[in-house]
Amino acid sequence: MSIGQVLPEFDVELIRQRGLKYKELASAFSYPKDEELCLEYDRLFRSSEIWIYGTEHTAENEFQRAKELSDISGFYLAFGLQVDKERPDALSCELEFMRYLIYKELYAFGINLRQAEEKARICHDAQKKFFFTHLYPAARKIAEALISQGGNFYSTIAKEMLEFLKSEKKFLS
């Protein structure tokens, strides 16, 4: 019996492609190794008013920011993760977390087909909640700020991310 027979809506290839896209975007918004991109990254995210941290775009005050950071960290801890050298609301961390949840969803089906549906649904539900509560609102604002800068690697990748997140919004709805 295959996964598709148990869960007809489970499209392994689609889910795998989503995971790869999140991995690509997380890498693009991590601190680069290329010298030219380092200069661009520093100019945009360290010297200007574009924050790479989601709560800087979504929280109205320090109390709300602390609550959101705690909630994001709670998501990570619930799945056995902890951010090491970055804030939990860093765009790259949130994108990587979505990739991790997708990986866990796929992995659940490889363990035990009886328990697979329950474990996969837990991961899918976490994706949905994290996406709509934290990632999408912040990433959309970060992308819009980057797109308004225009003409650089990050504005191009921001457009790509925004299109992908719009498709994710439909997929997760």
Side-chain angles (χ1 to χ4, degrees):
M1 186 176 301
S2 74
I3 295 167
Q5 292 171 320
V6 176
L7 293 172
E9 77 278 6
F10 188 81
D11 182 341
V12 175
E13 189 53 35
L14 172 65
I15 293 172
R16 188 172 290 131
Q17 290 302 315
R18 289 177 56 232
L20 290 172
K21 188 63 177 180
Y22 275 111
K23 182 178 180 179
E24 175 188 315
L25 291 169
S27 178
F29 285 105
S30 296
Y31 195 77
K33 293 179 177 121
D34 175 85
E35 195 172 326
E36 283 185 43
L37 278 181
C38 286
L39 293 172
E40 189 68 19
Y41 187 97
D42 290 342
R43 183 185 70 77
L44 286 169
F45 303 121
R46 293 187 172 167
S47 300
S48 74
E49 294 185 18
I50 299 176
W51 287 93
I52 197 74
Y53 305 109
T55 61
E56 300 299 331
H57 295 273
T58 59
E60 294 178 18
N61 55 54
E62 287 300 316
F63 297 110
Q64 188 178 10
R65 183 175 294 108
K67 182 184 178 304
E68 286 184 34
L69 286 169
S70 177
D71 192 43
I72 293 166
S73 293
F75 268 99
Y76 297 164
L77 287 172
F79 286 88
L81 302 174
Q82 189 172 352
V83 177
D84 188 20
K85 296 177 182 173
E86 189 60 90
R87 282 176 42 172
D89 65 332
L91 182 58
S92 61
C93 292
E94 291 188 352
L95 291 163
E96 184 62 30
F97 181 62
M98 285 294 288
R99 186 213 55 87
Y100 180 77
L101 290 174
I102 291 167
Y103 166 79
K104 294 277 288 181
E105 182 180 11
L106 286 169
Y107 183 75
F109 284 100
I111 298 173
N112 181 334
L113 205 48
R114 282 191 198 143
Q115 297 172 355
E117 184 174 4
E118 179 185 343
K119 289 182 179 188
R121 293 236 186 266
I122 289 169
C123 292
H124 188 78
D125 289 346
Q127 289 171 48
K128 193 177 206 175
K129 185 174 181 185
F130 189 81
F131 180 86
F132 285 109
T133 305
H134 298 292
L135 177 62
Y136 184 68
R140 191 184 80 238
K141 289 181 180 182
I142 293 168
E144 289 167 355
L146 288 169
I147 291 166
S148 74
Q149 296 286 313
N152 60 57
F153 170 79
Y154 290 101
S155 64
T156 302
I157 200 76
K159 288 176 189 173
E160 189 178 317
M161 178 178 69
L162 202 53
E163 288 304 310
F164 174 68
L165 294 179
K166 286 177 184 176
S167 70
E168 280 290 276
K169 186 177 176 186
K170 289 178 186 173
F171 179 81
L172 293 169
S173 289

PDB file of all heavy atoms in Angstrom, residues 30-42 153-154:
ATOM      1  N   SER A  30      20.318  34.152   4.147  1.00  0.00           N
ATOM      2  CA  SER A  30      21.357  33.977   5.164  1.00  0.00           C
ATOM      3  C   SER A  30      22.525  34.893   4.812  1.00  0.00           C
ATOM      4  O   SER A  30      22.649  35.333   3.667  1.00  0.00           O
ATOM      5  CB  SER A  30      21.845  32.527   5.192  1.00  0.00           C
ATOM      6  OG  SER A  30      20.811  31.670   5.577  1.00  0.00           O
ATOM      7  N   TYR A  31      23.397  35.126   5.793  1.00  0.00           N
ATOM      8  CA  TYR A  31      24.549  35.992   5.500  1.00  0.00           C
ATOM      9  C   TYR A  31      25.401  35.318   4.425  1.00  0.00           C
ATOM     10  O   TYR A  31      25.806  34.168   4.573  1.00  0.00           O
ATOM     11  CB  TYR A  31      25.371  36.264   6.756  1.00  0.00           C
ATOM     12  CG  TYR A  31      26.320  37.411   6.549  1.00  0.00           C
ATOM     13  CD1 TYR A  31      25.855  38.724   6.576  1.00  0.00           C
ATOM     14  CD2 TYR A  31      27.654  37.190   6.284  1.00  0.00           C
ATOM     15  CE1 TYR A  31      26.713  39.784   6.355  1.00  0.00           C
ATOM     16  CE2 TYR A  31      28.529  38.243   6.063  1.00  0.00           C
ATOM     17  CZ  TYR A  31      28.048  39.547   6.095  1.00  0.00           C
ATOM     18  OH  TYR A  31      28.900  40.589   5.870  1.00  0.00           O
ATOM     19  N   PRO A  32      25.686  36.016   3.329  1.00  0.00           N
ATOM     20  CA  PRO A  32      26.385  35.404   2.192  1.00  0.00           C
ATOM     21  C   PRO A  32      27.882  35.217   2.425  1.00  0.00           C
ATOM     22  O   PRO A  32      28.485  35.863   3.277  1.00  0.00           O
ATOM     23  CB  PRO A  32      26.135  36.406   1.064  1.00  0.00           C
ATOM     24  CG  PRO A  32      25.892  37.701   1.740  1.00  0.00           C
ATOM     25  CD  PRO A  32      25.285  37.381   3.072  1.00  0.00           C
ATOM     26  N   LYS A  33      28.451  34.353   1.603  1.00  0.00           N
ATOM     27  CA  LYS A  33      29.894  34.116   1.627  1.00  0.00           C
ATOM     28  C   LYS A  33      30.592  34.920   0.527  1.00  0.00           C
ATOM     29  O   LYS A  33      31.752  35.247   0.644  1.00  0.00           O
ATOM     30  CB  LYS A  33      30.182  32.626   1.467  1.00  0.00           C
ATOM     31  CG  LYS A  33      29.704  31.818   2.655  1.00  0.00           C
ATOM     32  CD  LYS A  33      29.964  30.342   2.477  1.00  0.00           C
ATOM     33  CE  LYS A  33      29.530  29.623   3.735  1.00  0.00           C
ATOM     34  NZ  LYS A  33      28.534  28.639   3.548  1.00  0.00           N
ATOM     35  N   ASP A  34      29.858  35.222  -0.524  1.00  0.00           N
ATOM     36  CA  ASP A  34      30.384  36.004  -1.642  1.00  0.00           C
ATOM     37  C   ASP A  34      30.602  37.460  -1.205  1.00  0.00           C
ATOM     38  O   ASP A  34      29.726  38.076  -0.610  1.00  0.00           O
ATOM     39  CB  ASP A  34      29.374  35.941  -2.798  1.00  0.00           C
ATOM     40  CG  ASP A  34      29.777  36.808  -3.960  1.00  0.00           C
ATOM     41  OD1 ASP A  34      30.556  36.332  -4.798  1.00  0.00           O
ATOM     42  OD2 ASP A  34      29.323  37.970  -4.009  1.00  0.00           O
ATOM     43  N   GLU A  35      31.786  38.004  -1.516  1.00  0.00           N
ATOM     44  CA  GLU A  35      32.126  39.354  -1.028  1.00  0.00           C
ATOM     45  C   GLU A  35      31.191  40.433  -1.527  1.00  0.00           C
ATOM     46  O   GLU A  35      30.782  41.327  -0.771  1.00  0.00           O
ATOM     47  CB  GLU A  35      33.570  39.688  -1.414  1.00  0.00           C
ATOM     48  CG  GLU A  35      34.103  40.881  -0.653  1.00  0.00           C
ATOM     49  CD  GLU A  35      35.576  41.068  -0.892  1.00  0.00           C
ATOM     50  OE1 GLU A  35      36.310  40.099  -1.054  1.00  0.00           O
ATOM     51  OE2 GLU A  35      35.982  42.238  -0.919  1.00  0.00           O
ATOM     52  N   GLU A  36      30.835  40.369  -2.822  1.00  0.00           N
ATOM     53  CA  GLU A  36      29.921  41.389  -3.356  1.00  0.00           C
ATOM     54  C   GLU A  36      28.561  41.311  -2.693  1.00  0.00           C
ATOM     55  O   GLU A  36      27.956  42.341  -2.375  1.00  0.00           O
ATOM     56  CB  GLU A  36      29.780  41.232  -4.869  1.00  0.00           C
ATOM     57  CG  GLU A  36      30.950  41.769  -5.648  1.00  0.00           C
ATOM     58  CD  GLU A  36      30.708  41.696  -7.140  1.00  0.00           C
ATOM     59  OE1 GLU A  36      29.593  42.031  -7.580  1.00  0.00           O
ATOM     60  OE2 GLU A  36      31.635  41.300  -7.840  1.00  0.00           O
ATOM     61  N   LEU A  37      28.055  40.099  -2.495  1.00  0.00           N
ATOM     62  CA  LEU A  37      26.761  39.950  -1.827  1.00  0.00           C
ATOM     63  C   LEU A  37      26.838  40.378  -0.358  1.00  0.00           C
ATOM     64  O   LEU A  37      25.861  40.894   0.174  1.00  0.00           O
ATOM     65  CB  LEU A  37      26.249  38.514  -1.930  1.00  0.00           C
ATOM     66  CG  LEU A  37      25.550  38.146  -3.231  1.00  0.00           C
ATOM     67  CD1 LEU A  37      25.067  36.704  -3.195  1.00  0.00           C
ATOM     68  CD2 LEU A  37      24.393  39.077  -3.534  1.00  0.00           C
ATOM     69  N   CYS A  38      27.989  40.167   0.276  1.00  0.00           N
ATOM     70  CA  CYS A  38      28.166  40.629   1.665  1.00  0.00           C
ATOM     71  C   CYS A  38      27.986  42.140   1.738  1.00  0.00           C
ATOM     72  O   CYS A  38      27.318  42.649   2.655  1.00  0.00           O
ATOM     73  CB  CYS A  38      29.548  40.260   2.202  1.00  0.00           C
ATOM     74  SG  CYS A  38      29.743  38.531   2.602  1.00  0.00           S
ATOM     75  N   LEU A  39      28.567  42.841   0.787  1.00  0.00           N
ATOM     76  CA  LEU A  39      28.438  44.300   0.761  1.00  0.00           C
ATOM     77  C   LEU A  39      26.978  44.710   0.568  1.00  0.00           C
ATOM     78  O   LEU A  39      26.485  45.629   1.221  1.00  0.00           O
ATOM     79  CB  LEU A  39      29.311  44.893  -0.348  1.00  0.00           C
ATOM     80  CG  LEU A  39      30.826  44.757  -0.159  1.00  0.00           C
ATOM     81  CD1 LEU A  39      31.568  45.203  -1.419  1.00  0.00           C
ATOM     82  CD2 LEU A  39      31.288  45.546   1.048  1.00  0.00           C
ATOM     83  N   GLU A  40      26.308  44.025  -0.342  1.00  0.00           N
ATOM     84  CA  GLU A  40      24.892  44.317  -0.606  1.00  0.00           C
ATOM     85  C   GLU A  40      24.039  43.993   0.619  1.00  0.00           C
ATOM     86  O   GLU A  40      23.159  44.759   1.004  1.00  0.00           O
ATOM     87  CB  GLU A  40      24.418  43.509  -1.820  1.00  0.00           C
ATOM     88  CG  GLU A  40      23.054  43.883  -2.317  1.00  0.00           C
ATOM     89  CD  GLU A  40      23.002  45.277  -2.923  1.00  0.00           C
ATOM     90  OE1 GLU A  40      24.032  45.844  -3.286  1.00  0.00           O
ATOM     91  OE2 GLU A  40      21.879  45.804  -3.019  1.00  0.00           O
ATOM     92  N   TYR A  41      24.287  42.840   1.237  1.00  0.00           N
ATOM     93  CA  TYR A  41      23.563  42.415   2.446  1.00  0.00           C
ATOM     94  C   TYR A  41      23.740  43.450   3.551  1.00  0.00           C
ATOM     95  O   TYR A  41      22.773  43.890   4.172  1.00  0.00           O
ATOM     96  CB  TYR A  41      24.075  41.046   2.888  1.00  0.00           C
ATOM     97  CG  TYR A  41      23.306  40.419   4.026  1.00  0.00           C
ATOM     98  CD1 TYR A  41      22.305  39.488   3.774  1.00  0.00           C
ATOM     99  CD2 TYR A  41      23.593  40.739   5.351  1.00  0.00           C
ATOM    100  CE1 TYR A  41      21.607  38.895   4.808  1.00  0.00           C
ATOM    101  CE2 TYR A  41      22.891  40.151   6.390  1.00  0.00           C
ATOM    102  CZ  TYR A  41      21.904  39.234   6.124  1.00  0.00           C
ATOM    103  OH  TYR A  41      21.210  38.649   7.147  1.00  0.00           O
ATOM    104  N   ASP A  42      24.990  43.832   3.796  1.00  0.00           N
ATOM    105  CA  ASP A  42      25.276  44.812   4.848  1.00  0.00           C
ATOM    106  C   ASP A  42      24.611  46.153   4.554  1.00  0.00           C
ATOM    107  O   ASP A  42      24.064  46.794   5.452  1.00  0.00           O
ATOM    108  CB  ASP A  42      26.789  44.999   5.009  1.00  0.00           C
ATOM    109  CG  ASP A  42      27.460  43.783   5.618  1.00  0.00           C
ATOM    110  OD1 ASP A  42      26.767  42.943   6.227  1.00  0.00           O
ATOM    111  OD2 ASP A  42      28.695  43.680   5.491  1.00  0.00           O
ATOM    112  N   PHE A 153      20.216  41.917  -6.245  1.00  0.00           N
ATOM    113  CA  PHE A 153      19.961  40.497  -6.009  1.00  0.00           C
ATOM    114  C   PHE A 153      18.798  40.303  -5.031  1.00  0.00           C
ATOM    115  O   PHE A 153      17.916  39.477  -5.264  1.00  0.00           O
ATOM    116  CB  PHE A 153      21.228  39.821  -5.457  1.00  0.00           C
ATOM    117  CG  PHE A 153      20.996  38.427  -4.956  1.00  0.00           C
ATOM    118  CD1 PHE A 153      20.904  37.362  -5.844  1.00  0.00           C
ATOM    119  CD2 PHE A 153      20.852  38.169  -3.591  1.00  0.00           C
ATOM    120  CE1 PHE A 153      20.673  36.066  -5.390  1.00  0.00           C
ATOM    121  CE2 PHE A 153      20.623  36.873  -3.130  1.00  0.00           C
ATOM    122  CZ  PHE A 153      20.538  35.828  -4.031  1.00  0.00           C
ATOM    123  N   TYR A 154      18.789  41.063  -3.953  1.00  0.00           N
ATOM    124  CA  TYR A 154      17.779  40.858  -2.909  1.00  0.00           C
ATOM    125  C   TYR A 154      16.386  41.313  -3.340  1.00  0.00           C
ATOM    126  O   TYR A 154      15.392  40.717  -2.933  1.00  0.00           O
ATOM    127  CB  TYR A 154      18.223  41.510  -1.602  1.00  0.00           C
ATOM    128  CG  TYR A 154      19.383  40.762  -1.003  1.00  0.00           C
ATOM    129  CD1 TYR A 154      20.677  41.225  -1.124  1.00  0.00           C
ATOM    130  CD2 TYR A 154      19.184  39.531  -0.380  1.00  0.00           C
ATOM    131  CE1 TYR A 154      21.749  40.503  -0.608  1.00  0.00           C
ATOM    132  CE2 TYR A 154      20.248  38.802   0.127  1.00  0.00           C
ATOM    133  CZ  TYR A 154      21.520  39.287   0.016  1.00  0.00           C
ATOM    134  OH  TYR A 154      22.572  38.560   0.503  1.00  0.00           O
TER     135      TYR A 154
END
